[in-house]
Amino acid sequence: KKLIIPIIAVVSIILAIFLVYKAFSAAFNIGRGSVSSNEDEETVLGEEIKITIPAGASTKEIAEILYKNKLIDSVLAFRWNSRMWEYDGTYRQGEYLIAEGTKEEDIMKILQSGVVYSENIKVTIPEGFTAAQIAKRLEEMEIISADEFIYEMNNGTFEYDFLEGIPKRDNYLEGYLFPATYDIGKEADAHTIITMFLNRFQIAYDNILKNSTSDYSSDELVTMASLIESEVQKDEERPIVAGVIYNRLNTDMLLQIDSTVQYALSTRNEVVTYDDLEVESEYNTYKHKGLPPGPISNPGESSLSAVVNPEEHDYIFYVLKERGSGEHVFAETYDDFLKAKENYKNSFNN
């Protein structure tokens, strides 16, 4: 009998705790998914509310912020559920957008994710974009005018080791405005935006170019990479085209790269005409030997890697296999090149 009484007491206490919890849950409507008694009923969300969770905020403080903004019904319930559902201590600081009517556990997941609300604008700069194209995109997204961007690019002061020794030239930072996706603030000026691009280029430079043993300068390597970026769509072809460029430079041949002519003309026509080839410009590699005076686009990592790791071969020609394919045919002799070029022309009729 002495043992039975304590056991009954313990069971009673456990049962009492369970009943209290059930009553508590019902009172505060804190059961998981208990926003509606009908599990399949669609929740109607209201206006999105921006809240700020400061660094080091406790669950209690977070609950008070949510309650103040009418996103939860009870501070105590939120704290209780955070602990019961093992979210307590996992919430992260930042600014969040949470819609009115969002389920309590969904709010917890949002605050745990760290995916914060931002008024910044996401801008994607594709590989191979020119400085002019970047400037146009920024203007179209109403971040900054194209003229402001181009002016700052050519006249601003930017101190990076990879820019040392680069002569002042038109589109001074062409090649160094690294293609990537950026979060740009609505109030950002041209200098700030360009610095973001250069900071990202610094990473690629450190990883790929900085320790290169090439006889060419970093600026010349970036120029070569820009040629590849403008000519090649397939990553596997980039080292092959890099090898073609090296073979031509090593034998003192004209590079004869169509993209350089298009850059001189500020065009991107599918076909370069004989009249186009007559443009008088140092960028016209049909007229001037060696590399152009600077990059003609902004290359990505694949093209930068290709110029420091070119494929060794005897190709000195390449031409598109067929219209729209993005795939090239490579040739060692002029006769083979002419055959491949004729096949490409014939693809226009297919």
Side-chain angles (χ1 to χ4, degrees):
K1 289 182 178 179
K2 290 182 180 180
L3 289 174
I4 292 174
I5 293 174
I7 291 174
I8 292 174
V10 170
V11 172
S12 297
I13 291 170
I14 292 173
L15 182 59
I17 292 173
F18 176 75
L19 292 173
V20 168
Y21 171 69
K22 292 294 287 184
F24 187 83
S25 296
F28 288 105
N29 195 26
I30 60 176
R32 258 183 163 116
S34 61
V35 172
S36 170
S37 59
N38 185 349
E39 290 293 333
D40 296 324
E41 184 178 332
E42 184 178 351
T43 301
V44 178
L45 300 180
E47 180 185 354
E48 286 188 317
I49 307 297
K50 185 173 82 170
I51 63 167
T52 300
I53 304 301
S58 66
T59 300
K60 179 177 181 292
E61 291 168 330
I62 292 171
E64 288 171 348
I65 293 170
L66 294 170
Y67 182 75
K68 181 180 178 181
N69 285 278
K70 299 180 181 179
L71 293 169
I72 60 173
D73 295 326
S74 167
V75 170
L76 183 59
F78 185 87
R79 294 176 62 193
W80 176 276
N81 279 342
S82 291
R83 181 172 296 180
M84 293 298 295
W85 300 343
E86 299 183 349
Y87 288 97
D88 194 28
T90 67
Y91 302 131
R92 300 168 67 177
Q93 71 181 81
E95 290 187 329
Y96 298 86
L97 275 184
I98 302 176
E100 294 175 336
T102 301
K103 292 181 180 180
E104 191 173 72
E105 188 171 10
D106 289 337
I107 293 175
M108 294 174 184
K109 289 177 181 178
I110 292 169
L111 298 180
Q112 185 190 49
S113 70
V115 180
V116 300
Y117 163 72
S118 174
E119 291 185 349
N120 291 353
I121 300 172
K122 282 193 179 297
V123 180
T124 297
I125 306 301
E127 296 174 346
F129 253 35
T130 64
Q133 288 174 307
I134 293 173
K136 182 181 178 182
R137 173 155 295 188
L138 293 172
E139 182 171 86
E140 287 174 344
M141 299 186 74
E142 300 182 351
I143 296 173
I144 195 170
S145 75
D147 288 344
E148 286 178 272
F149 182 86
I150 296 296
Y151 180 85
E152 183 63 22
M153 177 185 67
N154 288 324
N155 298 284
T157 300
F158 301 94
E159 297 181 359
Y160 292 84
D161 51 351
F162 54 78
L163 294 179
E164 293 178 5
I166 295 178
K168 282 289 183 180
R169 58 198 177 204
D170 290 341
N171 295 325
Y172 171 54
L173 295 178
E174 188 82 88
Y176 298 90
L177 307 172
F178 196 83
T181 297
Y182 297 91
D183 280 329
I184 300 178
K186 291 182 178 180
E187 304 303 320
D189 59 17
H191 189 90
T192 300
I193 296 169
I194 292 169
T195 298
M196 293 172 70
F197 296 158
L198 296 177
N199 286 344
R200 182 59 186 82
F201 182 89
Q202 180 76 62
I203 297 172
Y205 173 77
D206 291 342
N207 292 337
I208 301 171
L209 299 179
K210 190 172 185 178
N211 297 316
S212 169
T213 57
S214 173
D215 293 333
Y216 291 93
S217 69
S218 292
D219 189 50
E220 289 172 325
L221 291 175
V222 173
T223 299
M224 279 190 239
S226 75
L227 302 180
I228 295 168
E229 196 66 72
S230 298
E231 291 276 296
V232 183
Q233 295 180 25
K234 299 182 178 296
D235 284 348
E236 62 269 22
E237 289 188 353
R238 298 184 197 279
I240 306 174
V241 174
V244 172
I245 292 173
Y246 277 104
N247 288 344
R248 283 182 166 256
L249 290 172
N250 291 339
T251 54
D252 201 32
M253 291 180 67
L254 288 164
L255 289 180
Q256 295 182 314
I257 292 178
D258 289 355
S259 294
T260 63
V261 176
Q262 293 172 325
Y263 188 76
L265 293 168
S266 298
T267 62
R268 289 298 295 176
N269 297 327
E270 184 177 4
V271 177
V272 174
T273 67
Y274 287 110
D275 286 342
D276 293 338
L277 300 181
E278 294 302 314
V279 62
E280 192 49 58
S281 168
E282 290 183 280
Y283 284 92
N284 185 351
T285 56
Y286 278 83
K287 286 194 168 197
H288 298 273
K289 285 185 178 180
L291 292 167
I296 64 169
S297 71
N298 292 280
E301 290 183 350
S302 295
S303 293
L304 292 169
S305 295
V307 297
V308 297
N309 298 290
E311 185 174 308
E312 293 186 11
H313 51 63
D314 295 323
Y315 298 133
I316 53 176
F317 301 99
Y318 63 87
V319 64
L320 281 169
K321 186 174 183 179
E322 57 186 27
R323 186 179 187 182
S325 70
E327 185 179 354
H328 289 89
V329 175
F330 297 89
E332 296 180 12
T333 67
Y334 188 61
D335 285 342
D336 287 341
F337 165 71
L338 289 178
K339 291 176 185 176
K341 187 175 181 180
E342 190 63 27
N343 290 334
Y344 169 66
K345 288 182 178 178
N346 291 335
S347 72
F348 277 67
N349 300 320
N350 296 333

